[in-house]
């Protein structure tokens, strides 16, 4: 992928959730919710503070993160769906 986000933006690829419940019931695709977990693919250099210095991001490529249900903008790059969001939309790092 040849894409680098700017400033405090992060590129996230959703992690696919199970299509079965614990009891073995298969959930049809139309009833499934989009997962709110993903893997960070790329990060920007960071945001600038009031004095103009760049503040590095807390997340890095490879981190597994939780984000809000409606966070980010969906984009398709080289046929793969990604989310581009600000670091502030990320609620935390899993693991």
């Amino acid at each position: 992928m040849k894409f680098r986000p700017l400033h405090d933006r992060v590129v996230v690829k959703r992690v696919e959730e199970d299509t079965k419940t614990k009891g073995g019931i298969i959930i049809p695709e139309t009833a499934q919710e989009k997962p709110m977990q993903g893997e960070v693919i790329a990060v920007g250099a960071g945001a600038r503070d009031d004095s103009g210095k760049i503040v590095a991001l807390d997340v890095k490529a490879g981190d597994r993160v939780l984000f809000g249900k409606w966070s980010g903008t969906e984009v398709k790059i080289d046929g793969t769906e990604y989310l581009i969001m600000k670091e502030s939309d990320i609620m935390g790092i899993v693991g």
Side-chain angles (χ1 to χ4, degrees):
M1 174 179 79
K2 290 197 172 221
F3 181 82
R4 184 177 58 93
L6 298 177
H7 309 293
D8 63 339
R9 288 187 171 71
V10 179
V11 178
V12 176
K13 182 176 181 184
R14 288 187 195 268
V15 176
E16 295 301 320
E17 301 266 331
D18 289 336
T19 57
K20 282 189 197 178
T21 64
K22 290 181 182 177
I25 298 170
I26 297 175
I27 303 168
E29 194 169 312
T30 55
Q32 292 177 10
E33 289 190 23
K34 291 188 176 185
M36 295 186 300
Q37 267 192 51
E39 180 183 352
V40 175
I41 303 299
V43 297
R48 294 196 182 270
D49 64 8
D50 293 334
S51 64
K53 294 180 184 175
I54 293 180
V55 178
L57 302 180
D58 290 331
V59 296
K60 62 186 180 306
D63 284 348
R64 193 175 183 127
V65 295
L66 288 175
F67 49 87
K69 187 179 280 193
W70 308 110
S71 297
T73 301
E74 293 181 354
V75 296
K76 202 175 242 190
I77 301 171
D78 297 333
T80 305
E81 288 188 19
Y82 297 101
L83 285 168
I84 298 176
M85 64 183 73
K86 288 190 169 244
E87 186 188 36
S88 59
D89 291 338
I90 296 174
M91 292 186 270
I93 299 172
V94 179

